[in-house]
């Protein structure tokens, strides 16, 4: 009765963040998030709805870091791992995403193409490129987790939470499975 039987992994992740005490009790309109609590015990983390676009139309705003991060994530998920990851190829993918209205042009201009290319020079990036057939991206998952592991007030409770989310990806190698998160 004090929490839902399921939680998104992103909500649980935020519960383990190390926010300042002032931020925990801040106005959700200013902090962007709110801990919903019953007395002293937080039982669910939520975010307020974004301001509708029609209410902000015409405002000259620079894209937020979150918007650029989301777009960068979309670019990384959209790359064909069978191709060489070059600045020209990444730029082409970005143009395609803009043309399909998956990201906006102002946000696209802020995606750091060189950083995307540099990721594929790392050991993980090289593994993804070397074995594209074993790479799985945007994979939904669900698992049970003891409620006490998430909510300290429920430590002695034997109830489980259903945790669900979408993992950015995993790759199967001869040594096992590598789970990655952008």
């Amino acid at each position: 009765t004090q929490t839902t039987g399921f939680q998104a992994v992103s909500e649980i992740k935020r519960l383990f963040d190390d926010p300042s005490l002032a931020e925990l009790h801040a106005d959700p309109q200013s902090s962007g998030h709110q801990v919903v609590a019953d007395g002293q015990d937080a039982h669910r983390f939520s975010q307020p709805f974004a301001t509708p676009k029609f209410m902000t139309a015409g405002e000259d705003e620079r894209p937020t870091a979150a918007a650029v991060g989301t777009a960068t994530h979309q670019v990384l998920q959209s790359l064909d791992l069978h191709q060489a990851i070059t600045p020209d190829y990444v730029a082409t993918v970005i143009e395609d995403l803009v043309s399909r209205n998956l990201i906006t042009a102002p946000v696209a201009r802020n995606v750091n193409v060189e950083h995307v290319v540099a990721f594929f020079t790392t050991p993980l990036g090289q593994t993804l490129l070397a074995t594209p057939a074993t790479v799985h991206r945007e994979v939904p998952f669900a698992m049970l987790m003891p409620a006490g592991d998430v909510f300290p007030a429920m430590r002695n409770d034997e109830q489980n939470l259903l945790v669900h989310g979408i993992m950015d990806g995993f790759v199967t190698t001869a040594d096992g499975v590598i789970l990655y998160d952008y």
Side-chain angles (χ1 to χ4, degrees):
T1 63
Q2 296 179 17
T3 187
T4 62
F6 68 93
Q7 299 279 320
V9 72
S10 56
E11 292 172 329
I12 292 172
K13 182 176 78 171
R14 287 186 200 110
L15 285 173
F16 290 99
D17 283 350
D18 190 20
S20 69
L21 190 56
E23 193 176 49
L24 280 175
H25 301 292
D27 175 16
Q29 297 300 320
S30 63
S31 67
H33 62 275
Q34 174 183 22
V35 174
V36 179
D38 177 18
Q40 296 293 325
D41 303 321
H43 296 287
R44 179 111 180 164
F45 196 85
S46 67
Q47 289 185 312
F49 291 110
T51 304
K53 287 186 179 184
F54 73 87
M55 293 179 70
T56 59
E59 292 182 13
D60 184 31
E61 292 185 18
R62 179 174 170 85
T64 65
V68 174
T70 299
T72 303
H73 185 276
Q74 180 67 49
V75 170
L76 288 164
Q77 293 295 358
S78 300
L79 295 172
D80 179 353
L81 300 177
H82 293 91
Q83 294 197 35
I85 307 300
T86 65
D88 288 341
Y89 173 61
V90 174
T92 301
V93 169
I94 292 170
E95 289 171 17
D96 178 61
L97 292 171
V98 171
S99 72
R100 293 188 297 145
N101 294 316
L102 296 174
I103 59 177
T104 65
V107 172
R109 285 191 291 273
N110 286 277
V111 172
N112 191 319
V113 172
E114 294 303 321
H115 286 176
V116 172
V117 173
F119 168 74
F120 288 96
T121 65
T122 67
L124 174 59
Q126 291 292 296
T127 298
L128 299 178
L129 292 173
T131 59
T134 66
V135 176
H136 304 274
R137 300 188 271 190
E138 294 296 306
V139 180
F141 73 91
M143 62 182 267
L144 291 176
M145 182 176 193
D149 288 355
V150 178
F151 303 116
M154 299 177 78
R155 287 261 186 252
N156 296 324
D157 196 322
E158 294 183 20
Q159 297 296 314
N160 286 319
L161 293 174
L162 175 63
V163 179
H164 62 93
I166 298 178
M167 64 183 84
D168 288 343
F170 68 90
V171 59
T172 306
T173 69
D175 296 326
V177 174
I178 301 170
L179 174 66
Y180 63 89
D181 182 58
Y182 296 123

